[in-house]
Amino acid sequence: KKQSIEMLYTEIVKKDMYAAMKSGDKIKTNILRTLLSSLKKKEIEKKENISKDEYFAVVKRIVKQLKESANAYQEAGRFDLAEKETLELDVVKKYLPEILSETEIHDLAKKVINEISASDLSEMGKVMSLIMQRSNGKVDGGIANRLVKDLLK
């Protein structure tokens, strides 16, 4: 098996998990164990090392799940569980790529809209697709969606 840069991402998560175990940080240990297990599962499915994009896709999926769980617990009045999910979310977010600022997303959206001469909401899918491709996963889809809607109104 070839050693790849992507392998380093998984190794970093593993080292951080061991450090958390040694320091007795249960929340960090548990969520990093979950992340590591998801990464390993993806590698087993592929039967080879995962790419950088696949690594970030796994991390993003876990971040999304944690956000949804935290919101659900919050709405159900289970603030103890919501807080746990939020703490885990803070840990996992550190493994995401740098996210573009709202201003940068706005500029990218304007550029894409002008390039393809998009004029109304019916072209939103095309605009969003291009934004996501060009940003290499560095765009928060929710923010981009809101900005594109405002620009196309």
Side-chain angles (χ1 to χ4, degrees):
K1 282 193 171 207
K2 64 182 196 313
Q3 188 75 5
S4 64
I5 292 171
E6 287 69 31
M7 190 70 180
L8 294 175
Y9 287 113
T10 306
E11 290 304 313
I12 291 168
V13 173
K14 198 180 289 182
K15 281 189 183 114
D16 289 352
M17 184 186 74
Y18 290 141
M21 288 166 86
K22 285 179 185 166
S23 72
D25 187 338
K26 283 186 169 55
I27 287 182
K28 191 171 188 176
T29 301
N30 287 339
I31 192 60
L32 291 181
R33 192 175 281 140
T34 302
L35 174 57
L36 207 53
S37 129
S38 294
L39 291 167
K40 290 282 180 216
K41 183 179 172 205
K42 186 76 174 165
E43 278 182 6
I44 291 167
E45 283 171 11
K46 260 191 86 180
K47 294 182 175 47
E48 61 182 23
N49 290 337
I50 58 174
S51 71
K52 185 168 125 184
D53 291 340
E54 289 166 323
Y55 165 83
F56 286 129
V58 169
V59 176
K60 282 179 185 172
R61 189 183 73 239
I62 289 177
V63 164
K64 185 178 181 202
Q65 287 169 349
L66 289 170
K67 278 183 184 173
E68 288 171 357
S69 300
N71 289 339
Y73 287 136
Q74 193 80 29
E75 287 170 12
R78 294 297 309 269
F79 303 110
D80 52 333
L81 293 173
E83 184 183 0
K84 179 184 164 286
E85 298 289 310
T86 305
L87 291 171
E88 289 179 347
L89 182 60
D90 291 340
V91 171
V92 178
K93 276 184 174 176
K94 293 180 179 102
Y95 299 93
L96 283 172
E98 283 297 309
I99 300 291
L100 296 178
S101 71
E102 194 159 326
T103 308
E104 292 168 314
I105 297 171
H106 186 268
D107 293 344
L108 177 60
K110 260 184 159 167
K111 188 176 167 192
V112 168
I113 288 169
N114 290 334
E115 276 176 31
I116 66 168
S117 305
S119 57
D120 59 40
L121 289 173
S122 69
E123 296 175 278
M124 183 152 173
K126 200 187 302 180
V127 172
M128 285 298 296
S129 173
L130 285 169
I131 288 173
M132 297 317 254
Q133 284 171 18
R134 292 188 188 174
S135 68
N136 295 323
K138 294 181 181 174
V139 164
D140 179 316
I143 294 172
N145 195 306
R146 177 173 48 79
L147 294 172
V148 169
K149 265 184 191 160
D150 288 345
L151 289 168
L152 288 176
K153 274 184 185 167

